[in-house]
Amino acid sequence: MRFMNPASIPVTRTNQSRLAEIDFNRLEFGKNISDHMLLCAWRNGKWHMPEIVPYGPISFTPAMLALHYGQAVFEGMKAFRMKEGSINLFRPYKHAERFNQSLKRMAMPVLDEDFFVNCLHALVDVDRAWVPREEGSSLYIRPVAFATEERLGLKVSEEYLFAILTGPVGPYFNKPIRVKVEDHYVRAAEGGTGYAKCAGNYGGAFYPTQLAREAGYDQVLWTDAREHKFIDESGAMNVMFVINGKLITPQLTTAILDGVTRDSILTLAREEGISVEERKISVEELAEAFKHGTITEAFGVGTAAVVAPIAVVSVHGRDYTLPPLQTGSVQERLKSKLHAIRLGYEPDRHGWNYIIK
Ligand SMILES: *Cc1c(COP(=O)(O)O)cnc(C)c1O
């Protein structure tokens, strides 16, 4: 189904808004869900008319295929309140493209990109009062699609639900994190589903992450499945290092999620004249850089945190500590630049902002 106009999506408004209950100065990530949601079903080989309805539970059977065989994918993106009050959906087409890549990998039906963006547009417009005005806050948007066919047999589902939920989120507190280089468990292998934002990738990462937490770390730094020799990424973030003044990040493989924040940060870094290397980076190289004091920064990048500084990297049981963050660090500069573009303080040269008037 194609929609060239978000206004053609039917809306049933709630008569019990929960907006007044929200303390916008104390938002816990993911806790508050806005008044409305969008639902759209795939049946008989096509996507049907989406609808925007009051947010709430939906009923389903425990025989729903997604629960058994894992056909479930999601996206994570944000809308910002710009300096003059309009709402900016950040890079929705890039997220549409990735949602489709994830859907394809899970043998699920893709969505027309304009249709996807129009659905986002319509929903955010209905709940526009939920887009925070507080500094550093935004509206987090969670598109999700899952198999809904009622069956016990192992098969590709013939029915799906596509839904979009949103919720206000506050500034991410940038307490530097401790990460452990994983040399036993694997998040994703090349040829697997690592590049897809599919539910199973996260379920499978919980246990190794719990073990890392028990050992005193916040996150796992995943390495390649074959040799545990090269850095992949961390949690739900891509990773970047500043070594000898160069910004270095693992090159994308089918085992790494192609982060929109990663792409935005690399683009801005190149524009700032920072030398950028997308290549394999070995655990060994990282340890050497710590020993020689050539590494000055390590950080994760992703929609939720934007930039999350790393304080400690544990390599084979040995903790290496990053120097304290200096003002004017590469990560701070790039983060503020991105922030300025999203809020309209600096020109959007790449067409990243999708503005809802
Ligand atoms: C979502 C995600 C990221 C970050 O992607 P963004 O588009 O920047 O939010 C990185 N790695 C994994 C595994 C993810 O799920």
Side-chain angles (χ1 to χ4, degrees), residues 24 50 86 101 154 157 210 218 224 234 236 285 302 323 327 352:
F24 279 83
S86 49
Q101 272 179 9
L154 175 59
S157 181
Q210 274 177 348
D218 300 295
D224 75 281
S234 180
E285 176 183 354
T327 43
W352 289 344

Side-chain angles (χ1 to χ4, degrees), residues 95 98 187 197 202 233 235-238 257 259-261 302-303:
H95 285 280
R98 189 173 68 192
R187 184 191 91 93
K197 233 171 157 73
Y202 305 86
E233 56 175 322
M237 289 190 286
N238 295 107
L257 203 284
V260 177
T261 316
T303 294

